[in-house]
Structures are given as structure tokens and as C-alpha cells.
Amino acid sequence: MIVVAGEALVDLVPTPQGALAPRLGGGPYNVAVAAGRLDAPVGFLSRLSTDLFGDRLLDRLHAANVRTDLVQRGAEPTTLAVVGLADDGSARYSFYVEGTADREVADPGPLPADVRAVSFGTLSLVLEPGASTYERVLWREAGRGALTVLDPNIRAGLIHDPRAYRDRYDSWLPHVGLLKVSVDDARWLADLPEDAPEDAVLDVVRDWRGAGPAAVVLTLGGAGLAVLTGGGEVVRVPPAPVNVVDTIGAGDTVQGALLAWLHDHDALSTSAVRGMGTAEWGEALAFAGAAAAITCSRAGAEPPFKRELGMT
């Protein structure tokens, strides 16, 4: 089984009429829904509010066939994110996170023995006290040999001490089996200029892979996807054609689809990821890119079901 650990929240997304419509989301939550809709055996580890939003978040997990054994409930409110959309569909976020449920998650202790992979990322590794709790889970599960997967999914407005966060990120890398990062987040994490060329980013990614991850997947926005493989090769796939409505949840869909692909190909281990060749990575990235394109074609984070990718 795969466990996705992290926050669930509600995005308030602008409508064509100028109103704000609630959409269920949060990076890790979207990853779990994406993997579940692609028929991967996945569970969610988080703390959900007992408010109406929390009930709806839980219902949507069940509808996506995501296990909720590890979901905790509490009276704290649900985190809210107000989304602003640019002309190209890209999103920026303002968060309401003080005293919310997901950051109060309790350490569940060792995960069940059938858990082969655990995915982490986004706000859950920033906001305390939850960040330290998820960090302990990361260390413990890596120590017992599970494939640990990380997407930092940077929200810079919530990181009050960038240097401390970057140091903490560096400390996670030896415990990470698969790293997925956007090119913009890579620039931020490496403290590079926003217009730093891709070659400079790849140099940083090579250093990160040398620190621990078996492979590093890089999302390139409109330029598609790339991976630095365990063998040191760079594999690229072009973007799937799409009429973009917005990009909310696109990177999360890539993460969930990669987890589903690895499960379907019996590759949910660090050694298997390290051993994947160019053809396998080309197939995996094409699958993830096709899933993300469908998400981009509709409003909010709505990952596709397996049948929408022509699969049963």
C-alpha cells in the first residue's frame, strides 16, 4: 500500500462571475485522490476537521477509494487557501492556517507492515507542530526501508525563515527515495535567480540526487517533464496537448500518477526506482503528464480516473 501524508484544505477559487467557489484540495490530499482514482491502493495520513469542510474532504477520499484508517479528526477548523489565477491559468495562494486541524496531526507510530511507499510535501512540512511530526514519520519509514517520496511544493509566503527551511530540506534528502520538484521550486530551494537557466537547475538537481534520492523528477511547466535517473541520464517528455483552464493540482496529479505507475509496474522501492532505465522513465513520465493535462483542462484540482486515460 501507498500512504500519502500531509494536509487537506479548501481552495477558494475565482469563478467567471467573480465569486469564490470552494474546492477541496491541498497538495498531499490531491496526490492521494489522484493515486486513488488511478486505482492504486492508497491511504491518507492527516488530521481533518469535524466541520462541514472536513466531512466533505473525508467523503471525497472515500469516493476516490482512498483508505482513511490513518485519518484523525479534530474540532479545529479546516485550512483555507484563497486562489488567484493569472491569464495563463497559473495559481498563487493566500492561506488561512492559524490553529487549523491539519497542523495538529499526532504521530501515528510505525505504519502498517504492508505500506511500501510514503509520500510527503507542501504545507505539512512547513507548519508546526505538524511539520516535526511528519518529519519523524519520514525518518522512521525510510529507516525501515519504505520508498519515501517528496514534493516540497514550495509556498514561499508561509516560509518565514528561508535559510532554515533550506537547511531542513537538505537534511531530508538522505532519507528520500524519489524526489519530485518543479523547476521554479528548485530555483527557490537552491536560492537561484528566478530566471536561472535550466542547466544551472540541473547542476543543483545532480547535487540533490547525490545526497540520497534514487531519481529526481523535474516538472517544467509548459515544457513538460524531465527526470535525472539513477544512472545519471536526463530523460525528457514533451507536454501533452491541452486547453488549460487552470493549473491547480497539476503537480500533485503528476505525483499521484507516478505513484500509481510505480505500483502497477512493481517498482515501489528505492532500488527499483534507481534501476529504472530511459524507456521505463519515458513511459512513466508520459503517463503522469497525460494525467496532469486532464487536470489542467478543468477547474480546480480534479485528477482523472483511470478510464479517462483509456485504461480499465
PDB file of all heavy atoms in Angstrom, residues 2 8 26 55 64 85 104 110 142-143 160 253 288-289:
ATOM      1  N   ILE A   2       0.322   2.344  -0.524  1.00  0.00           N
ATOM      2  CA  ILE A   2       0.939   3.661  -0.526  1.00  0.00           C
ATOM      3  C   ILE A   2       0.230   4.516   0.516  1.00  0.00           C
ATOM      4  O   ILE A   2      -1.003   4.495   0.609  1.00  0.00           O
ATOM      5  CB  ILE A   2       0.796   4.329  -1.906  1.00  0.00           C
ATOM      6  CG1 ILE A   2       1.463   3.485  -3.004  1.00  0.00           C
ATOM      7  CG2 ILE A   2       1.354   5.742  -1.902  1.00  0.00           C
ATOM      8  CD1 ILE A   2       0.969   3.820  -4.403  1.00  0.00           C
ATOM      9  N   ALA A   8      -4.909  18.523   4.189  1.00  0.00           N
ATOM     10  CA  ALA A   8      -6.085  18.679   3.333  1.00  0.00           C
ATOM     11  C   ALA A   8      -6.675  20.045   3.651  1.00  0.00           C
ATOM     12  O   ALA A   8      -6.683  20.468   4.813  1.00  0.00           O
ATOM     13  CB  ALA A   8      -7.098  17.583   3.607  1.00  0.00           C
ATOM     14  N   GLY A  26      -5.456  20.799  -1.312  1.00  0.00           N
ATOM     15  CA  GLY A  26      -4.252  20.608  -0.504  1.00  0.00           C
ATOM     16  C   GLY A  26      -3.348  19.644  -1.242  1.00  0.00           C
ATOM     17  O   GLY A  26      -3.822  18.612  -1.764  1.00  0.00           O
ATOM     18  N   ASP A  55     -15.903  17.034   6.750  1.00  0.00           N
ATOM     19  CA  ASP A  55     -16.775  15.926   6.332  1.00  0.00           C
ATOM     20  C   ASP A  55     -16.718  15.737   4.816  1.00  0.00           C
ATOM     21  O   ASP A  55     -16.659  14.603   4.321  1.00  0.00           O
ATOM     22  CB  ASP A  55     -18.219  16.200   6.750  1.00  0.00           C
ATOM     23  CG  ASP A  55     -18.434  16.135   8.255  1.00  0.00           C
ATOM     24  OD1 ASP A  55     -17.547  15.604   8.968  1.00  0.00           O
ATOM     25  OD2 ASP A  55     -19.481  16.628   8.712  1.00  0.00           O
ATOM     26  N   ALA A  64     -12.869   8.320  -3.917  1.00  0.00           N
ATOM     27  CA  ALA A  64     -11.685   8.019  -4.730  1.00  0.00           C
ATOM     28  C   ALA A  64     -11.024   6.707  -4.318  1.00  0.00           C
ATOM     29  O   ALA A  64      -9.923   6.400  -4.774  1.00  0.00           O
ATOM     30  CB  ALA A  64     -10.672   9.162  -4.625  1.00  0.00           C
ATOM     31  N   LEU A  85      -5.776  33.499  -9.968  1.00  0.00           N
ATOM     32  CA  LEU A  85      -5.373  32.891 -11.240  1.00  0.00           C
ATOM     33  C   LEU A  85      -4.850  33.953 -12.199  1.00  0.00           C
ATOM     34  O   LEU A  85      -5.482  34.994 -12.411  1.00  0.00           O
ATOM     35  CB  LEU A  85      -6.550  32.161 -11.890  1.00  0.00           C
ATOM     36  CG  LEU A  85      -7.113  30.952 -11.129  1.00  0.00           C
ATOM     37  CD1 LEU A  85      -8.322  30.405 -11.853  1.00  0.00           C
ATOM     38  CD2 LEU A  85      -6.040  29.879 -10.971  1.00  0.00           C
ATOM     39  N   GLU A 104      -2.204  19.969  13.458  1.00  0.00           N
ATOM     40  CA  GLU A 104      -2.228  19.359  14.790  1.00  0.00           C
ATOM     41  C   GLU A 104      -2.173  17.832  14.730  1.00  0.00           C
ATOM     42  O   GLU A 104      -2.483  17.159  15.714  1.00  0.00           O
ATOM     43  CB  GLU A 104      -3.485  19.807  15.542  1.00  0.00           C
ATOM     44  CG  GLU A 104      -3.582  21.307  15.749  1.00  0.00           C
ATOM     45  CD  GLU A 104      -2.465  21.865  16.614  1.00  0.00           C
ATOM     46  OE1 GLU A 104      -1.996  21.139  17.507  1.00  0.00           O
ATOM     47  OE2 GLU A 104      -2.057  23.021  16.383  1.00  0.00           O
ATOM     48  N   PRO A 110       4.674   3.616  14.043  1.00  0.00           N
ATOM     49  CA  PRO A 110       5.047   2.868  12.833  1.00  0.00           C
ATOM     50  C   PRO A 110       3.818   2.559  11.972  1.00  0.00           C
ATOM     51  O   PRO A 110       2.769   2.164  12.484  1.00  0.00           O
ATOM     52  CB  PRO A 110       5.669   1.586  13.389  1.00  0.00           C
ATOM     53  CG  PRO A 110       6.166   1.972  14.753  1.00  0.00           C
ATOM     54  CD  PRO A 110       5.166   2.959  15.277  1.00  0.00           C
ATOM     55  N   ALA A 142      11.662   5.683   6.216  1.00  0.00           N
ATOM     56  CA  ALA A 142      12.884   5.482   5.429  1.00  0.00           C
ATOM     57  C   ALA A 142      13.793   4.478   6.110  1.00  0.00           C
ATOM     58  O   ALA A 142      14.410   3.622   5.457  1.00  0.00           O
ATOM     59  CB  ALA A 142      13.602   6.812   5.232  1.00  0.00           C
ATOM     60  N   GLY A 143      13.868   4.568   7.431  1.00  0.00           N
ATOM     61  CA  GLY A 143      14.731   3.658   8.182  1.00  0.00           C
ATOM     62  C   GLY A 143      14.317   2.203   8.092  1.00  0.00           C
ATOM     63  O   GLY A 143      15.162   1.314   8.164  1.00  0.00           O
ATOM     64  N   HIS A 160       8.860  31.647   6.750  1.00  0.00           N
ATOM     65  CA  HIS A 160       9.336  32.909   7.321  1.00  0.00           C
ATOM     66  C   HIS A 160      10.856  32.966   7.442  1.00  0.00           C
ATOM     67  O   HIS A 160      11.422  34.059   7.551  1.00  0.00           O
ATOM     68  CB  HIS A 160       8.680  33.138   8.677  1.00  0.00           C
ATOM     69  CG  HIS A 160       7.180  33.130   8.613  1.00  0.00           C
ATOM     70  ND1 HIS A 160       6.463  33.993   7.802  1.00  0.00           N
ATOM     71  CD2 HIS A 160       6.258  32.344   9.226  1.00  0.00           C
ATOM     72  CE1 HIS A 160       5.169  33.746   7.933  1.00  0.00           C
ATOM     73  NE2 HIS A 160       5.016  32.751   8.784  1.00  0.00           N
ATOM     74  N   THR A 253      -1.097  15.925  -9.335  1.00  0.00           N
ATOM     75  CA  THR A 253      -1.519  14.827 -10.202  1.00  0.00           C
ATOM     76  C   THR A 253      -0.308  14.072 -10.741  1.00  0.00           C
ATOM     77  O   THR A 253      -0.326  12.826 -10.819  1.00  0.00           O
ATOM     78  CB  THR A 253      -2.388  15.343 -11.356  1.00  0.00           C
ATOM     79  OG1 THR A 253      -3.539  16.001 -10.826  1.00  0.00           O
ATOM     80  CG2 THR A 253      -2.835  14.197 -12.262  1.00  0.00           C
ATOM     81  N   ALA A 288       2.210  10.224 -16.393  1.00  0.00           N
ATOM     82  CA  ALA A 288       1.968  11.297 -15.428  1.00  0.00           C
ATOM     83  C   ALA A 288       1.592  12.596 -16.129  1.00  0.00           C
ATOM     84  O   ALA A 288       0.703  13.333 -15.675  1.00  0.00           O
ATOM     85  CB  ALA A 288       3.206  11.499 -14.556  1.00  0.00           C
ATOM     86  N   GLY A 289       2.246  12.896 -17.249  1.00  0.00           N
ATOM     87  CA  GLY A 289       1.949  14.105 -17.991  1.00  0.00           C
ATOM     88  C   GLY A 289       0.551  14.092 -18.582  1.00  0.00           C
ATOM     89  O   GLY A 289      -0.147  15.116 -18.590  1.00  0.00           O
TER      90      GLY A 289
END
